[in-house]
Structure formats: structure tokens, C-alpha cells
Amino acid sequence: RVRREFKGLREKFTAAFEQAPYGVMFVDPELHPLLLNKVFTQLMERSELDLVGQKVDGFFHPNDRRAFAQALE
């Protein structure tokens, strides 16, 4: 029963992530992308393989990096 419920939740999460109308990204504790949805890669005009492993703050304009860092605090 629990396994079926988990599978159902995982399927719902995956659908929500993949079908989100906005860019979504999951990062590791060092702020490197682990998982990006298609909208995010389209916004960045790069492939997921190009973006995974890079430092996230490099995705932002230099003028926006301070606000990004503050948002993480």
C-alpha cells in the first residue's frame, strides 16, 4: 500500500515538475543544479547537460547576484 502511494506521489510530482509553466531547478547544498525542467533550459537557451554542475549564481546577471544570495539566507 505504501509503495503504491509513494509511486502515485512520485508520478504527480514528476508531472508537475515537467509540465510547470515556469523554470524549475533543484540544486545541491553547494548550489550546483541537479535537476532542471525543460522550461528552465529553454529560458537559459542551453541544454540540461550544459547547466548541470555549474554554480547557480552564474546563471544570474551580476547585478542580481546579491539579491539571489540574500534570498537564500
Short mmCIF file of all heavy atoms in Angstrom, two decimals:
data_model
loop_
_atom_site.label_atom_id
_atom_site.label_comp_id
_atom_site.label_asym_id
_atom_site.label_seq_id
_atom_site.Cartn_x
_atom_site.Cartn_y
_atom_site.Cartn_z
N ARG A 1 0.82 -1.20 0.00
CA ARG A 1 0.00 0.00 0.00
C ARG A 1 0.86 1.27 0.00
O ARG A 1 0.63 2.17 -0.79
CB ARG A 1 -0.93 -0.04 1.22
CG ARG A 1 -1.81 1.16 1.31
CD ARG A 1 -2.70 1.11 2.56
NE ARG A 1 -2.89 2.43 3.02
CZ ARG A 1 -2.31 2.97 4.06
NH1 ARG A 1 -1.51 2.26 4.81
NH2 ARG A 1 -2.53 4.21 4.40
N VAL A 2 1.82 1.32 0.89
CA VAL A 2 2.69 2.49 0.98
C VAL A 2 3.48 2.67 -0.31
O VAL A 2 3.63 3.79 -0.80
CB VAL A 2 3.64 2.38 2.20
CG1 VAL A 2 4.66 3.49 2.20
CG2 VAL A 2 2.84 2.37 3.49
N ARG A 3 3.92 1.57 -0.86
CA ARG A 3 4.70 1.63 -2.10
C ARG A 3 3.85 2.20 -3.23
O ARG A 3 4.30 3.02 -4.03
CB ARG A 3 5.20 0.25 -2.45
CG ARG A 3 6.26 0.26 -3.52
CD ARG A 3 6.87 -1.08 -3.67
NE ARG A 3 7.90 -1.18 -2.64
CZ ARG A 3 8.78 -2.14 -2.56
NH1 ARG A 3 8.74 -3.14 -3.40
NH2 ARG A 3 9.70 -2.15 -1.63
N ARG A 4 2.57 1.80 -3.32
CA ARG A 4 1.66 2.33 -4.34
C ARG A 4 1.43 3.82 -4.14
O ARG A 4 1.41 4.59 -5.10
CB ARG A 4 0.33 1.59 -4.32
CG ARG A 4 0.27 0.40 -5.22
CD ARG A 4 -1.08 -0.22 -5.16
NE ARG A 4 -1.22 -0.61 -3.74
CZ ARG A 4 -2.32 -1.00 -3.15
NH1 ARG A 4 -3.41 -1.09 -3.83
NH2 ARG A 4 -2.36 -1.33 -1.89
N GLU A 5 1.23 4.23 -2.88
CA GLU A 5 1.01 5.64 -2.59
C GLU A 5 2.24 6.46 -2.97
O GLU A 5 2.12 7.55 -3.54
CB GLU A 5 0.67 5.84 -1.12
CG GLU A 5 -0.70 5.34 -0.74
CD GLU A 5 -0.99 5.50 0.74
OE1 GLU A 5 -0.24 6.20 1.44
OE2 GLU A 5 -1.97 4.90 1.19
N PHE A 6 3.42 5.94 -2.64
CA PHE A 6 4.66 6.63 -2.98
C PHE A 6 4.80 6.76 -4.50
O PHE A 6 5.15 7.82 -5.02
CB PHE A 6 5.87 5.91 -2.40
CG PHE A 6 7.18 6.55 -2.77
CD1 PHE A 6 7.59 7.71 -2.16
CD2 PHE A 6 7.99 5.99 -3.74
CE1 PHE A 6 8.78 8.32 -2.51
CE2 PHE A 6 9.18 6.58 -4.10
CZ PHE A 6 9.58 7.75 -3.47
N LYS A 7 4.50 5.68 -5.20
CA LYS A 7 4.58 5.72 -6.67
C LYS A 7 3.64 6.77 -7.23
O LYS A 7 3.99 7.53 -8.12
CB LYS A 7 4.26 4.35 -7.26
CG LYS A 7 4.39 4.30 -8.76
CD LYS A 7 4.06 2.94 -9.33
CE LYS A 7 4.17 2.98 -10.85
NZ LYS A 7 3.66 1.76 -11.45
N GLY A 8 2.41 6.83 -6.70
CA GLY A 8 1.45 7.83 -7.15
C GLY A 8 1.92 9.24 -6.89
O GLY A 8 1.79 10.13 -7.74
N LEU A 9 2.50 9.47 -5.71
CA LEU A 9 3.03 10.80 -5.38
C LEU A 9 4.19 11.16 -6.28
O LEU A 9 4.32 12.29 -6.73
CB LEU A 9 3.45 10.85 -3.91
CG LEU A 9 2.32 10.88 -2.90
CD1 LEU A 9 2.87 10.74 -1.48
CD2 LEU A 9 1.52 12.15 -3.04
N ARG A 10 5.06 10.19 -6.53
CA ARG A 10 6.21 10.44 -7.40
C ARG A 10 5.75 10.80 -8.81
O ARG A 10 6.29 11.72 -9.44
CB ARG A 10 7.13 9.24 -7.43
CG ARG A 10 8.39 9.48 -8.26
CD ARG A 10 9.35 8.34 -8.20
NE ARG A 10 8.70 7.13 -8.65
CZ ARG A 10 9.18 5.92 -8.43
NH1 ARG A 10 10.29 5.76 -7.76
NH2 ARG A 10 8.56 4.86 -8.90
N GLU A 11 4.73 10.11 -9.30
CA GLU A 11 4.21 10.41 -10.63
C GLU A 11 3.59 11.81 -10.68
O GLU A 11 3.79 12.54 -11.65
CB GLU A 11 3.19 9.35 -11.04
CG GLU A 11 3.82 8.02 -11.35
CD GLU A 11 2.81 6.90 -11.55
OE1 GLU A 11 1.59 7.14 -11.41
OE2 GLU A 11 3.24 5.78 -11.85
N LYS A 12 2.87 12.20 -9.64
CA LYS A 12 2.28 13.54 -9.58
C LYS A 12 3.37 14.61 -9.53
O LYS A 12 3.29 15.63 -10.20
CB LYS A 12 1.37 13.67 -8.36
CG LYS A 12 0.08 12.92 -8.50
CD LYS A 12 -0.77 13.07 -7.26
CE LYS A 12 -2.03 12.23 -7.36
NZ LYS A 12 -2.83 12.31 -6.14
N PHE A 13 4.39 14.37 -8.70
CA PHE A 13 5.49 15.33 -8.61
C PHE A 13 6.19 15.47 -9.95
O PHE A 13 6.46 16.59 -10.41
CB PHE A 13 6.48 14.90 -7.53
CG PHE A 13 7.72 15.73 -7.53
CD1 PHE A 13 7.74 16.96 -6.91
CD2 PHE A 13 8.87 15.30 -8.19
CE1 PHE A 13 8.88 17.75 -6.93
CE2 PHE A 13 10.00 16.08 -8.21
CZ PHE A 13 10.01 17.31 -7.58
N THR A 14 6.50 14.35 -10.58
CA THR A 14 7.20 14.38 -11.87
C THR A 14 6.39 15.14 -12.91
O THR A 14 6.93 15.97 -13.64
CB THR A 14 7.49 12.95 -12.35
OG1 THR A 14 8.32 12.30 -11.37
CG2 THR A 14 8.19 12.93 -13.68
N ALA A 15 5.09 14.88 -12.96
CA ALA A 15 4.24 15.59 -13.92
C ALA A 15 4.22 17.08 -13.63
O ALA A 15 4.33 17.90 -14.55
CB ALA A 15 2.82 15.01 -13.89
N ALA A 16 4.09 17.45 -12.36
CA ALA A 16 4.07 18.87 -12.00
C ALA A 16 5.39 19.54 -12.36
O ALA A 16 5.42 20.66 -12.88
CB ALA A 16 3.78 19.04 -10.51
N PHE A 17 6.49 18.87 -12.12
CA PHE A 17 7.82 19.40 -12.43
C PHE A 17 7.98 19.57 -13.93
O PHE A 17 8.39 20.63 -14.40
CB PHE A 17 8.88 18.44 -11.87
CG PHE A 17 10.29 18.83 -12.22
CD1 PHE A 17 10.93 19.83 -11.53
CD2 PHE A 17 10.98 18.15 -13.21
CE1 PHE A 17 12.24 20.19 -11.84
CE2 PHE A 17 12.28 18.49 -13.51
CZ PHE A 17 12.91 19.51 -12.83
N GLU A 18 7.66 18.55 -14.68
CA GLU A 18 7.88 18.58 -16.12
C GLU A 18 6.90 19.49 -16.85
O GLU A 18 7.24 20.06 -17.89
CB GLU A 18 7.80 17.16 -16.69
CG GLU A 18 8.95 16.29 -16.25
CD GLU A 18 8.82 14.85 -16.71
OE1 GLU A 18 7.78 14.48 -17.29
OE2 GLU A 18 9.77 14.08 -16.48
N GLN A 19 5.70 19.65 -16.32
CA GLN A 19 4.68 20.44 -17.00
C GLN A 19 4.54 21.85 -16.43
O GLN A 19 3.66 22.60 -16.86
CB GLN A 19 3.35 19.70 -16.94
CG GLN A 19 3.38 18.39 -17.67
CD GLN A 19 2.12 17.56 -17.45
OE1 GLN A 19 1.11 18.07 -17.00
NE2 GLN A 19 2.19 16.29 -17.77
N ALA A 20 5.39 22.22 -15.50
CA ALA A 20 5.30 23.56 -14.91
C ALA A 20 5.46 24.61 -16.00
O ALA A 20 6.30 24.46 -16.90
CB ALA A 20 6.38 23.74 -13.85
N PRO A 21 4.68 25.68 -15.94
CA PRO A 21 4.78 26.73 -16.96
C PRO A 21 5.95 27.69 -16.70
O PRO A 21 6.10 28.69 -17.39
CB PRO A 21 3.44 27.46 -16.83
CG PRO A 21 3.06 27.27 -15.40
CD PRO A 21 3.58 25.91 -15.02
N TYR A 22 6.77 27.39 -15.72
CA TYR A 22 7.91 28.24 -15.36
C TYR A 22 9.12 27.34 -15.13
O TYR A 22 9.01 26.13 -14.96
CB TYR A 22 7.60 29.05 -14.10
CG TYR A 22 6.93 28.24 -13.02
CD1 TYR A 22 7.67 27.42 -12.16
CD2 TYR A 22 5.55 28.23 -12.89
CE1 TYR A 22 7.06 26.65 -11.20
CE2 TYR A 22 4.93 27.46 -11.92
CZ TYR A 22 5.69 26.68 -11.08
OH TYR A 22 5.07 25.90 -10.13
N GLY A 23 10.29 27.94 -15.14
CA GLY A 23 11.51 27.18 -14.94
C GLY A 23 11.65 26.72 -13.51
O GLY A 23 11.45 27.49 -12.58
N VAL A 24 12.00 25.45 -13.34
CA VAL A 24 12.21 24.86 -12.02
C VAL A 24 13.57 24.19 -12.00
O VAL A 24 13.97 23.53 -12.97
CB VAL A 24 11.12 23.82 -11.68
CG1 VAL A 24 11.35 23.22 -10.31
CG2 VAL A 24 9.73 24.42 -11.78
N MET A 25 14.28 24.37 -10.86
CA MET A 25 15.60 23.81 -10.73
C MET A 25 15.78 23.31 -9.30
O MET A 25 15.37 23.98 -8.35
CB MET A 25 16.62 24.90 -11.06
CG MET A 25 18.02 24.65 -10.61
SD MET A 25 19.16 25.98 -11.10
CE MET A 25 18.44 27.43 -10.36
N PHE A 26 16.37 22.14 -9.14
CA PHE A 26 16.76 21.62 -7.84
C PHE A 26 18.28 21.65 -7.78
O PHE A 26 18.94 21.28 -8.76
CB PHE A 26 16.24 20.20 -7.63
CG PHE A 26 14.76 20.14 -7.47
CD1 PHE A 26 13.96 19.86 -8.56
CD2 PHE A 26 14.17 20.39 -6.25
CE1 PHE A 26 12.58 19.81 -8.43
CE2 PHE A 26 12.80 20.35 -6.11
CZ PHE A 26 12.00 20.06 -7.20
N VAL A 27 18.82 22.09 -6.65
CA VAL A 27 20.26 22.24 -6.51
C VAL A 27 20.78 21.44 -5.32
O VAL A 27 20.03 21.12 -4.41
CB VAL A 27 20.66 23.73 -6.35
CG1 VAL A 27 20.27 24.54 -7.57
CG2 VAL A 27 20.05 24.32 -5.09
N ASP A 28 22.08 21.17 -5.33
CA ASP A 28 22.72 20.52 -4.19
C ASP A 28 23.11 21.59 -3.16
O ASP A 28 22.91 22.78 -3.42
CB ASP A 28 23.92 19.68 -4.66
CG ASP A 28 25.08 20.49 -5.21
OD1 ASP A 28 25.16 21.72 -5.00
OD2 ASP A 28 25.95 19.88 -5.87
N PRO A 29 23.64 21.20 -2.02
CA PRO A 29 23.98 22.19 -0.99
C PRO A 29 25.01 23.24 -1.43
O PRO A 29 25.07 24.33 -0.88
CB PRO A 29 24.53 21.33 0.16
CG PRO A 29 23.88 20.01 -0.02
CD PRO A 29 23.76 19.83 -1.51
N GLU A 30 25.81 22.91 -2.44
CA GLU A 30 26.80 23.87 -2.95
C GLU A 30 26.24 24.71 -4.09
O GLU A 30 26.98 25.42 -4.76
CB GLU A 30 28.07 23.14 -3.41
CG GLU A 30 28.90 22.58 -2.27
CD GLU A 30 28.35 21.26 -1.76
OE1 GLU A 30 27.83 20.46 -2.57
OE2 GLU A 30 28.41 21.02 -0.55
N LEU A 31 24.94 24.61 -4.33
CA LEU A 31 24.23 25.39 -5.35
C LEU A 31 24.61 25.02 -6.78
O LEU A 31 24.69 25.87 -7.66
CB LEU A 31 24.38 26.89 -5.11
CG LEU A 31 23.87 27.39 -3.76
CD1 LEU A 31 24.10 28.88 -3.63
CD2 LEU A 31 22.40 27.05 -3.60
N HIS A 32 24.83 23.74 -7.00
CA HIS A 32 25.01 23.22 -8.36
C HIS A 32 23.71 22.54 -8.76
O HIS A 32 23.14 21.78 -7.98
CB HIS A 32 26.15 22.21 -8.41
CG HIS A 32 27.47 22.79 -8.08
ND1 HIS A 32 28.03 22.67 -6.83
CD2 HIS A 32 28.34 23.51 -8.81
CE1 HIS A 32 29.20 23.28 -6.81
NE2 HIS A 32 29.40 23.81 -8.00
N PRO A 33 23.21 22.80 -9.96
CA PRO A 33 21.96 22.18 -10.39
C PRO A 33 22.05 20.66 -10.45
O PRO A 33 23.05 20.11 -10.91
CB PRO A 33 21.74 22.74 -11.80
CG PRO A 33 22.64 23.89 -11.92
CD PRO A 33 23.77 23.68 -10.98
N LEU A 34 21.01 20.03 -9.97
CA LEU A 34 20.90 18.57 -10.05
C LEU A 34 19.84 18.16 -11.06
O LEU A 34 19.99 17.16 -11.74
CB LEU A 34 20.52 17.99 -8.68
CG LEU A 34 21.52 18.21 -7.56
CD1 LEU A 34 20.93 17.75 -6.23
CD2 LEU A 34 22.81 17.47 -7.86
N LEU A 35 18.77 18.96 -11.12
CA LEU A 35 17.64 18.63 -11.97
C LEU A 35 17.01 19.92 -12.45
O LEU A 35 16.77 20.83 -11.66
CB LEU A 35 16.63 17.81 -11.15
CG LEU A 35 15.46 17.19 -11.86
CD1 LEU A 35 15.94 16.18 -12.91
CD2 LEU A 35 14.57 16.47 -10.84
N LEU A 36 16.78 20.00 -13.75
CA LEU A 36 16.19 21.20 -14.37
C LEU A 36 15.03 20.76 -15.26
O LEU A 36 15.13 19.75 -15.93
CB LEU A 36 17.23 21.91 -15.26
CG LEU A 36 18.57 22.20 -14.62
CD1 LEU A 36 19.61 22.42 -15.69
CD2 LEU A 36 18.46 23.39 -13.74
N ASN A 37 13.97 21.54 -15.25
CA ASN A 37 12.90 21.19 -16.18
C ASN A 37 13.14 21.83 -17.54
O ASN A 37 14.05 22.67 -17.72
CB ASN A 37 11.51 21.51 -15.61
CG ASN A 37 11.19 22.98 -15.56
OD1 ASN A 37 12.02 23.84 -15.83
ND2 ASN A 37 9.97 23.29 -15.20
N LYS A 38 12.34 21.43 -18.51
CA LYS A 38 12.54 21.88 -19.89
C LYS A 38 12.39 23.39 -20.03
O LYS A 38 13.14 24.04 -20.76
CB LYS A 38 11.55 21.17 -20.81
CG LYS A 38 11.75 21.46 -22.26
CD LYS A 38 10.82 20.64 -23.13
CE LYS A 38 11.07 20.94 -24.59
NZ LYS A 38 10.24 20.09 -25.46
N VAL A 39 11.43 23.98 -19.31
CA VAL A 39 11.23 25.43 -19.40
C VAL A 39 12.48 26.16 -18.93
O VAL A 39 12.90 27.15 -19.54
CB VAL A 39 9.99 25.86 -18.59
CG1 VAL A 39 9.85 27.37 -18.56
CG2 VAL A 39 8.73 25.23 -19.16
N PHE A 40 13.11 25.68 -17.86
CA PHE A 40 14.33 26.33 -17.37
C PHE A 40 15.42 26.30 -18.43
O PHE A 40 16.07 27.31 -18.69
CB PHE A 40 14.82 25.68 -16.08
CG PHE A 40 15.91 26.45 -15.41
CD1 PHE A 40 15.60 27.39 -14.44
CD2 PHE A 40 17.23 26.27 -15.75
CE1 PHE A 40 16.60 28.13 -13.85
CE2 PHE A 40 18.24 26.99 -15.16
CZ PHE A 40 17.92 27.93 -14.20
N THR A 41 15.62 25.15 -19.05
CA THR A 41 16.67 25.06 -20.07
C THR A 41 16.35 25.94 -21.28
O THR A 41 17.25 26.52 -21.88
CB THR A 41 16.91 23.61 -20.52
OG1 THR A 41 15.72 23.07 -21.08
CG2 THR A 41 17.36 22.75 -19.35
N GLN A 42 15.06 26.05 -21.61
CA GLN A 42 14.68 26.94 -22.71
C GLN A 42 14.94 28.39 -22.36
O GLN A 42 15.42 29.16 -23.20
CB GLN A 42 13.21 26.73 -23.06
CG GLN A 42 12.94 25.39 -23.72
CD GLN A 42 11.46 25.11 -23.89
OE1 GLN A 42 10.62 25.67 -23.21
NE2 GLN A 42 11.14 24.20 -24.80
N LEU A 43 14.64 28.79 -21.13
CA LEU A 43 14.90 30.17 -20.70
C LEU A 43 16.39 30.49 -20.76
O LEU A 43 16.79 31.60 -21.11
CB LEU A 43 14.40 30.40 -19.27
CG LEU A 43 12.89 30.44 -19.09
CD1 LEU A 43 12.54 30.41 -17.61
CD2 LEU A 43 12.32 31.69 -19.75
N MET A 44 17.20 29.49 -20.40
CA MET A 44 18.65 29.69 -20.40
C MET A 44 19.27 29.50 -21.79
O MET A 44 20.44 29.81 -21.99
CB MET A 44 19.31 28.71 -19.41
CG MET A 44 18.86 28.91 -17.97
SD MET A 44 19.30 30.51 -17.30
CE MET A 44 21.08 30.39 -17.26
N GLU A 45 18.47 28.96 -22.72
CA GLU A 45 18.93 28.65 -24.07
C GLU A 45 20.16 27.74 -24.06
O GLU A 45 21.10 27.92 -24.84
CB GLU A 45 19.21 29.94 -24.85
CG GLU A 45 17.98 30.79 -25.04
CD GLU A 45 18.24 32.06 -25.82
OE1 GLU A 45 19.41 32.50 -25.93
OE2 GLU A 45 17.26 32.63 -26.33
N ARG A 46 20.12 26.77 -23.15
CA ARG A 46 21.22 25.80 -23.01
C ARG A 46 20.62 24.44 -22.69
O ARG A 46 19.51 24.35 -22.19
CB ARG A 46 22.16 26.20 -21.86
CG ARG A 46 22.64 27.64 -21.89
CD ARG A 46 24.05 27.88 -22.32
NE ARG A 46 25.07 27.08 -21.80
CZ ARG A 46 25.78 27.35 -20.70
NH1 ARG A 46 25.50 28.39 -19.95
NH2 ARG A 46 26.75 26.54 -20.33
N SER A 47 21.35 23.40 -22.92
CA SER A 47 20.88 22.06 -22.60
C SER A 47 21.07 21.78 -21.11
O SER A 47 21.88 22.43 -20.44
CB SER A 47 21.64 21.01 -23.42
OG SER A 47 22.94 20.83 -22.90
N GLU A 48 20.34 20.80 -20.62
CA GLU A 48 20.49 20.41 -19.22
C GLU A 48 21.93 19.98 -18.94
O GLU A 48 22.50 20.32 -17.91
CB GLU A 48 19.52 19.28 -18.88
CG GLU A 48 19.54 18.89 -17.42
CD GLU A 48 18.48 17.86 -17.07
OE1 GLU A 48 17.70 17.44 -17.95
OE2 GLU A 48 18.43 17.48 -15.89
N LEU A 49 22.53 19.25 -19.88
CA LEU A 49 23.91 18.80 -19.70
C LEU A 49 24.88 19.98 -19.59
O LEU A 49 25.87 19.90 -18.86
CB LEU A 49 24.34 17.89 -20.85
CG LEU A 49 23.71 16.50 -20.87
CD1 LEU A 49 24.13 15.75 -22.13
CD2 LEU A 49 24.07 15.72 -19.63
N ASP A 50 24.62 21.07 -20.30
CA ASP A 50 25.47 22.25 -20.21
C ASP A 50 25.34 22.94 -18.85
O ASP A 50 26.29 23.56 -18.38
CB ASP A 50 25.09 23.28 -21.29
CG ASP A 50 25.51 22.87 -22.68
OD1 ASP A 50 26.41 22.00 -22.81
OD2 ASP A 50 24.96 23.41 -23.64
N LEU A 51 24.18 22.84 -18.22
CA LEU A 51 23.91 23.59 -16.99
C LEU A 51 24.22 22.80 -15.72
O LEU A 51 24.65 23.39 -14.73
CB LEU A 51 22.44 24.04 -16.97
CG LEU A 51 22.05 24.99 -18.09
CD1 LEU A 51 20.54 25.18 -18.12
CD2 LEU A 51 22.75 26.32 -17.95
N VAL A 52 24.02 21.49 -15.75
CA VAL A 52 24.27 20.68 -14.56
C VAL A 52 25.75 20.75 -14.20
O VAL A 52 26.62 20.64 -15.06
CB VAL A 52 23.82 19.22 -14.79
CG1 VAL A 52 24.32 18.31 -13.69
CG2 VAL A 52 22.31 19.16 -14.88
N GLY A 53 26.03 20.98 -12.95
CA GLY A 53 27.41 21.05 -12.47
C GLY A 53 27.96 22.45 -12.37
O GLY A 53 28.97 22.67 -11.71
N GLN A 54 27.32 23.42 -13.02
CA GLN A 54 27.78 24.80 -12.92
C GLN A 54 27.25 25.41 -11.63
O GLN A 54 26.27 24.95 -11.05
CB GLN A 54 27.26 25.62 -14.10
CG GLN A 54 27.87 25.23 -15.41
CD GLN A 54 27.48 26.21 -16.49
OE1 GLN A 54 27.15 27.36 -16.23
NE2 GLN A 54 27.53 25.77 -17.73
N LYS A 55 27.88 26.45 -11.17
CA LYS A 55 27.40 27.17 -9.99
C LYS A 55 26.20 28.01 -10.39
O LYS A 55 26.23 28.73 -11.39
CB LYS A 55 28.53 28.05 -9.45
CG LYS A 55 28.27 28.63 -8.12
CD LYS A 55 28.75 27.74 -7.02
CE LYS A 55 28.63 28.54 -5.73
NZ LYS A 55 28.89 27.81 -4.58
N VAL A 56 25.13 27.92 -9.62
CA VAL A 56 23.87 28.58 -9.95
C VAL A 56 24.00 30.09 -10.04
O VAL A 56 23.37 30.72 -10.89
CB VAL A 56 22.78 28.20 -8.90
CG1 VAL A 56 21.54 29.02 -9.09
CG2 VAL A 56 22.47 26.73 -9.01
N ASP A 57 24.81 30.71 -9.20
CA ASP A 57 24.87 32.17 -9.24
C ASP A 57 25.40 32.68 -10.58
O ASP A 57 25.18 33.81 -10.95
CB ASP A 57 25.65 32.75 -8.07
CG ASP A 57 27.11 32.33 -8.03
OD1 ASP A 57 27.55 31.53 -8.88
OD2 ASP A 57 27.82 32.80 -7.13
N GLY A 58 26.05 31.82 -11.34
CA GLY A 58 26.49 32.19 -12.68
C GLY A 58 25.35 32.32 -13.67
O GLY A 58 25.53 32.84 -14.76
N PHE A 59 24.17 31.86 -13.30
CA PHE A 59 23.01 31.97 -14.17
C PHE A 59 22.38 33.35 -14.12
O PHE A 59 21.53 33.68 -14.94
CB PHE A 59 21.92 30.96 -13.77
CG PHE A 59 22.33 29.51 -13.89
CD1 PHE A 59 21.50 28.54 -13.39
CD2 PHE A 59 23.51 29.11 -14.50
CE1 PHE A 59 21.83 27.19 -13.48
CE2 PHE A 59 23.85 27.78 -14.59
CZ PHE A 59 23.01 26.82 -14.09
N PHE A 60 22.75 34.14 -13.15
CA PHE A 60 22.12 35.44 -12.92
C PHE A 60 23.01 36.57 -13.39
O PHE A 60 24.24 36.47 -13.34
CB PHE A 60 21.81 35.62 -11.43
CG PHE A 60 20.87 34.58 -10.90
CD1 PHE A 60 21.34 33.47 -10.24
CD2 PHE A 60 19.50 34.71 -11.08
CE1 PHE A 60 20.49 32.50 -9.77
CE2 PHE A 60 18.63 33.74 -10.61
CZ PHE A 60 19.13 32.63 -9.95
N HIS A 61 22.38 37.64 -13.78
CA HIS A 61 23.12 38.85 -14.14
C HIS A 61 23.88 39.31 -12.90
O HIS A 61 23.37 39.22 -11.78
CB HIS A 61 22.12 39.94 -14.60
CG HIS A 61 22.80 41.14 -15.14
ND1 HIS A 61 23.31 42.14 -14.34
CD2 HIS A 61 23.07 41.49 -16.42
CE1 HIS A 61 23.85 43.06 -15.10
NE2 HIS A 61 23.72 42.69 -16.36
N PRO A 62 25.10 39.82 -13.06
CA PRO A 62 25.88 40.27 -11.90
C PRO A 62 25.12 41.22 -10.97
O PRO A 62 25.29 41.16 -9.74
CB PRO A 62 27.09 40.95 -12.53
CG PRO A 62 27.25 40.27 -13.84
CD PRO A 62 25.85 39.96 -14.31
N ASN A 63 24.27 42.06 -11.52
CA ASN A 63 23.50 42.99 -10.67
C ASN A 63 22.45 42.28 -9.82
O ASN A 63 21.96 42.85 -8.85
CB ASN A 63 22.81 44.05 -11.53
CG ASN A 63 23.79 44.95 -12.23
OD1 ASN A 63 24.97 45.02 -11.89
ND2 ASN A 63 23.32 45.64 -13.25
N ASP A 64 22.10 41.05 -10.19
CA ASP A 64 21.06 40.30 -9.47
C ASP A 64 21.63 39.28 -8.48
O ASP A 64 20.88 38.71 -7.70
CB ASP A 64 20.15 39.58 -10.46
CG ASP A 64 19.40 40.54 -11.36
OD1 ASP A 64 19.09 41.66 -10.91
OD2 ASP A 64 19.14 40.18 -12.52
N ARG A 65 22.92 39.05 -8.50
CA ARG A 65 23.51 38.00 -7.66
C ARG A 65 23.38 38.30 -6.17
O ARG A 65 23.17 37.40 -5.38
CB ARG A 65 24.97 37.78 -8.05
CG ARG A 65 25.08 37.12 -9.40
CD ARG A 65 26.49 36.84 -9.80
NE ARG A 65 26.48 36.32 -11.17
CZ ARG A 65 27.47 36.41 -12.00
NH1 ARG A 65 28.59 37.01 -11.62
NH2 ARG A 65 27.38 35.92 -13.21
N ARG A 66 23.48 39.54 -5.80
CA ARG A 66 23.36 39.90 -4.38
C ARG A 66 21.95 39.58 -3.88
O ARG A 66 21.79 39.01 -2.80
CB ARG A 66 23.68 41.37 -4.17
CG ARG A 66 23.68 41.76 -2.73
CD ARG A 66 24.07 43.21 -2.58
NE ARG A 66 24.44 43.46 -1.21
CZ ARG A 66 24.99 44.54 -0.80
NH1 ARG A 66 25.29 45.51 -1.65
NH2 ARG A 66 25.29 44.70 0.46
N ALA A 67 20.93 39.94 -4.65
CA ALA A 67 19.55 39.65 -4.26
C ALA A 67 19.33 38.14 -4.18
O ALA A 67 18.65 37.67 -3.28
CB ALA A 67 18.58 40.28 -5.25
N PHE A 68 19.94 37.40 -5.09
CA PHE A 68 19.81 35.95 -5.05
C PHE A 68 20.43 35.40 -3.77
O PHE A 68 19.83 34.57 -3.08
CB PHE A 68 20.49 35.33 -6.29
CG PHE A 68 20.58 33.83 -6.24
CD1 PHE A 68 19.44 33.06 -6.41
CD2 PHE A 68 21.79 33.20 -6.04
CE1 PHE A 68 19.52 31.67 -6.38
CE2 PHE A 68 21.87 31.83 -6.00
CZ PHE A 68 20.75 31.06 -6.18
N ALA A 69 21.63 35.85 -3.43
CA ALA A 69 22.30 35.39 -2.21
C ALA A 69 21.47 35.73 -0.98
O ALA A 69 21.35 34.92 -0.06
CB ALA A 69 23.69 36.01 -2.12
N GLN A 70 20.89 36.93 -0.95
CA GLN A 70 20.06 37.32 0.19
C GLN A 70 18.79 36.46 0.29
O GLN A 70 18.35 36.14 1.39
CB GLN A 70 19.69 38.79 0.10
CG GLN A 70 20.89 39.71 0.35
CD GLN A 70 20.56 41.17 0.11
OE1 GLN A 70 19.61 41.49 -0.60
NE2 GLN A 70 21.35 42.05 0.70
N ALA A 71 18.26 36.07 -0.83
CA ALA A 71 17.04 35.25 -0.83
C ALA A 71 17.32 33.86 -0.25
O ALA A 71 16.43 33.22 0.29
CB ALA A 71 16.49 35.12 -2.24
N LEU A 72 18.56 33.40 -0.32
CA LEU A 72 18.92 32.10 0.21
C LEU A 72 19.15 32.10 1.71
O LEU A 72 19.16 31.04 2.33
CB LEU A 72 20.17 31.56 -0.50
CG LEU A 72 20.02 31.27 -1.98
CD1 LEU A 72 21.36 30.85 -2.55
CD2 LEU A 72 18.96 30.20 -2.21
N GLU A 73 19.33 33.27 2.27
CA GLU A 73 19.60 33.36 3.72
C GLU A 73 18.37 33.11 4.54
O GLU A 73 17.27 33.25 4.19
CB GLU A 73 20.20 34.71 4.05
CG GLU A 73 21.56 34.89 3.43
CD GLU A 73 22.15 36.28 3.70
OE1 GLU A 73 21.47 37.12 4.31
OE2 GLU A 73 23.29 36.49 3.31
#
